Amino acid sequence: MALAALGVSARALRSRSWLLGTWQTQIRDTHQRASLLFFWELIPMRAEPLRKKKKVDPKKDQAVKDRLKKRIRRLEKASQELIPIEDFITPVRLLDKARQRPPVELPFEESERRALLLKKWSLYKHQEHEKERDAIRTMLKSQQEALQELQLMSPELHAEATKRDLNLFPFEREGPDYTPPVSNYQPPEGRYHDITKVYTQVEFKR
Amino acid sequence: MAAPIRQSLFGVAKGWWRFEGLWAGSLGSRSLALAAAPSISGSPWRLLGAVCLQRPPLVSKPLTPLQEEMAALLQQIEVEGSLYSDHELRALDEAQQLAKKKADLYDEEGDERNILLVQDLEDAWEQKFLQFKPGARITEADKKNDRTSLNRKLDRNLVLLVKEKLGDQDVWMLPQAEWQPGETLRGTAERTLATLSGEFSASL
């Protein structure tokens, strides 16, 4: 019984690795082996020889391919997912109540001041708009008058002047900033990792 | 700079450097017709093409008092209608903890967390901002009133004028050239631009 137990333990200790590994395990637990009767334990007699690839495998591959095709067909049938507009989804951390400001109660003078300022501002913007409109009108009028004069003077020059200039569009221009550009500016060194999420919508064509 | 501001400002809207030789030419010939040989057979008028070379503004105009007030009001309204940011929440928490400490008068081990106070962060940011030197809105050319430099009056639209003699008088006007038969008025304007002396880069 003790010998059998020893044999069992020896087998358990033996690793599944091939020749060298098995020899090492034999050398390690030789002190536990009781007698030379356990000689047959030394040589791994129970390993199976390597199996040759049978014809079952192509069928297996075929089955896998079929499964994939089925999955693809299911995806195609299901409605396409639309790309989410991240601006319309409020992040969960902003729904916290602790984030909300206490409601402000404006004193009477402050609300009056605001109302009067808004009225003045609307009047100002209206006047600004009128001025812009008049300026554009006068410029267009003077342009038309000049073209009329040119027409009277020489029709060929007028025809060439009224042709379209294809170099005008596309028109790109950067507006004025608050400060002018610094001539010898050294931007700070470093890399940045662009973590913008890019969504792709795959169109399934049949 | 002779043209009124409003009018020239909208002449800008068409491009960085832009010239309009079309109608400037005939207007010029109308007012400055001299007794020279007519270029177009049969007409008594001499045709000149001119160039309106502009340097658009690089800098925005200073705000009027009304605009400043309105900007401040809009900012106030925006802040009132917003949520607390992470920075503000942190400031509020720290203020609460300070109040607790003063009230309870015993030291917690919370010092490990709050080594960097909100005030320290703000001071550091302020320092960093002060290190940056932006470009000057009012340049040296403004101070010297140097009319030949391009760096002056960065918030206005500047037009190139040339001094020429007409008869007895010296007149500041747009650079112009005589129209030659066989070219368009636009061609005249381009030729004028090419014949201007000085270093500049301009395009249609």
Side-chain angles (χ1 to χ4, degrees):
Chain A
M1 270 295 283
L3 291 171
L6 274 171
V8 165
S9 61
R11 249 173 277 146
L13 281 169
R14 207 179 301 140
S15 57
R16 269 188 167 232
S17 57
W18 197 225
L19 270 169
L20 196 65
T22 48
W23 274 113
Q24 280 176 347
T25 45
Q26 308 313 332
I27 294 161
R28 247 188 280 138
D29 58 12
T30 39
H31 65 280
Q32 285 179 344
R33 231 167 270 120
S35 67
L36 285 169
L37 285 171
F38 282 80
F39 170 72
W40 300 111
E41 311 264 38
L42 290 169
I43 306 160
M45 298 290 277
R46 259 170 267 252
E48 282 179 13
L50 288 169
R51 280 198 194 151
K52 289 182 191 171
K53 282 234 166 176
K54 290 187 188 173
K55 285 177 189 172
V56 187
D57 287 317
K59 277 193 187 169
K60 247 190 177 176
D61 291 334
Q62 195 64 37
V64 165
K65 276 185 201 168
D66 283 332
R67 256 179 271 150
L68 280 172
K69 277 187 188 165
K70 233 188 176 178
R71 245 180 247 169
I72 290 166
R73 252 177 270 152
R74 252 184 249 160
L75 282 170
E76 283 175 21
K77 277 185 192 170
S79 59
Q80 285 216 338
E81 248 187 47
L82 299 169
I83 299 173
I85 302 172
E86 287 178 29
D87 288 339
F88 292 173
I89 306 164
T90 39
V92 182
R93 66 191 179 96
L94 295 177
L95 297 170
D96 197 8
K97 275 202 174 171
R99 290 232 181 211
Q100 287 174 1
R101 279 180 208 264
V104 173
E105 288 193 11
L106 292 172
F108 176 72
E109 288 103 10
E110 178 64 22
S111 61
E112 280 290 300
R113 188 209 109 200
R114 283 191 185 187
L116 287 169
L117 182 59
L118 286 167
K119 287 190 179 181
K120 267 192 251 172
W121 180 250
S122 71
L123 183 69
Y124 169 78
K125 281 305 257 183
H126 174 69
Q127 286 167 353
E128 198 184 44
H129 185 249
E130 294 257 292
K131 282 183 210 163
E132 282 182 18
R133 215 176 38 166
D134 292 337
I136 292 171
R137 228 182 253 163
T138 48
M139 281 201 283
L140 279 174
K141 195 175 156 195
S142 53
Q143 193 181 41
Q144 288 302 315
E145 280 176 7
L147 282 172
Q148 277 292 312
E149 298 283 348
L150 188 62
Q151 165 88 48
L152 291 170
M153 184 143 157
S154 80
E156 311 94 36
L157 285 175
H158 170 86
E160 292 218 39
T162 40
K163 273 187 195 163
R164 281 186 195 181
D165 182 9
L166 298 166
N167 292 330
L168 282 179
F169 295 108
F171 173 67
E172 274 177 14
R173 169 125 171 251
E174 285 182 13
D177 304 311
Y178 188 68
T179 52
V182 179
S183 48
N184 52 355
Y185 179 62
Q186 295 288 333
E189 298 241 345
R191 285 190 206 166
Y192 61 90
H193 296 288
D194 201 359
I195 53 169
T196 43
K197 287 188 187 168
V198 178
Y199 295 96
T200 46
Q201 218 179 21
V202 185
E203 274 186 27
F204 291 111
K205 286 179 192 168
R206 271 252 149 183
Chain B
M1 288 305 295
I5 303 153
R6 273 283 171 191
Q7 283 186 16
S8 51
L9 197 67
F10 290 94
V12 166
K14 289 172 187 169
W16 184 245
W17 305 96
R18 152 101 192 180
F19 43 73
E20 307 175 20
L22 314 163
W23 45 277
S26 52
L27 281 176
S29 68
R30 221 6 94 90
S31 53
L32 310 164
L34 299 169
S39 306
I40 296 181
S41 54
S43 77
W45 304 108
R46 222 174 110 211
L47 204 54
L48 301 157
V51 164
C52 176
L53 192 61
Q54 293 170 349
R55 197 236 47 202
L58 286 172
V59 150
S60 57
K61 286 204 165 163
L63 298 174
T64 59
L66 176 63
Q67 285 174 335
E68 295 252 16
E69 269 184 50
M70 193 60 197
L73 175 64
L74 287 172
Q75 182 71 17
Q76 236 181 332
I77 291 171
E78 194 182 318
V79 168
E80 282 170 13
S82 69
L83 297 171
Y84 282 130
S85 66
D86 291 337
H87 183 74
E88 280 184 313
L89 281 178
R90 188 172 163 168
L92 288 170
D93 287 335
E94 281 183 14
Q96 268 183 348
Q97 279 173 9
L98 266 177
K100 260 190 188 175
K101 268 194 194 174
K102 280 188 185 170
D104 296 336
L105 295 171
Y106 70 91
D107 286 324
E108 288 183 30
E109 67 324 334
D111 282 335
E112 294 163 11
R113 275 172 273 154
N114 300 350
I115 298 167
L116 206 61
L117 290 177
V118 154
Q119 197 58 43
D120 299 329
L121 278 173
E122 288 183 1
D123 289 336
W125 295 335
E126 187 75 36
Q127 286 301 310
K128 206 166 176 192
F129 177 65
L130 290 171
Q131 278 173 16
F132 173 68
K133 300 285 174 212
R137 282 162 66 87
I138 301 174
T139 56
E140 290 170 22
D142 273 335
K143 289 173 193 165
K144 291 182 209 164
N145 205 14
D146 175 19
R147 285 189 166 196
T148 53
S149 102
L150 271 179
N151 241 1
R152 66 188 287 258
K153 304 255 180 187
L154 296 171
D155 58 344
R156 306 271 282 266
N157 182 40
L158 303 179
V159 176
L160 181 71
L161 294 174
V162 178
K163 201 166 193 180
E164 284 189 26
K165 268 202 172 180
L166 285 172
D168 306 330
Q169 304 159 336
D170 280 331
V171 173
W172 281 103
M173 60 184 185
L174 297 174
Q176 58 191 27
E178 182 102 31
W179 174 77
Q180 282 161 5
E183 71 175 354
T184 61
L185 280 173
R186 185 174 170 138
T188 320
E190 286 178 12
R191 192 162 48 88
T192 326
L193 191 65
T195 51
L196 282 175
S197 63
E199 296 165 11
F200 58 88
S201 57
S203 55
L204 287 170

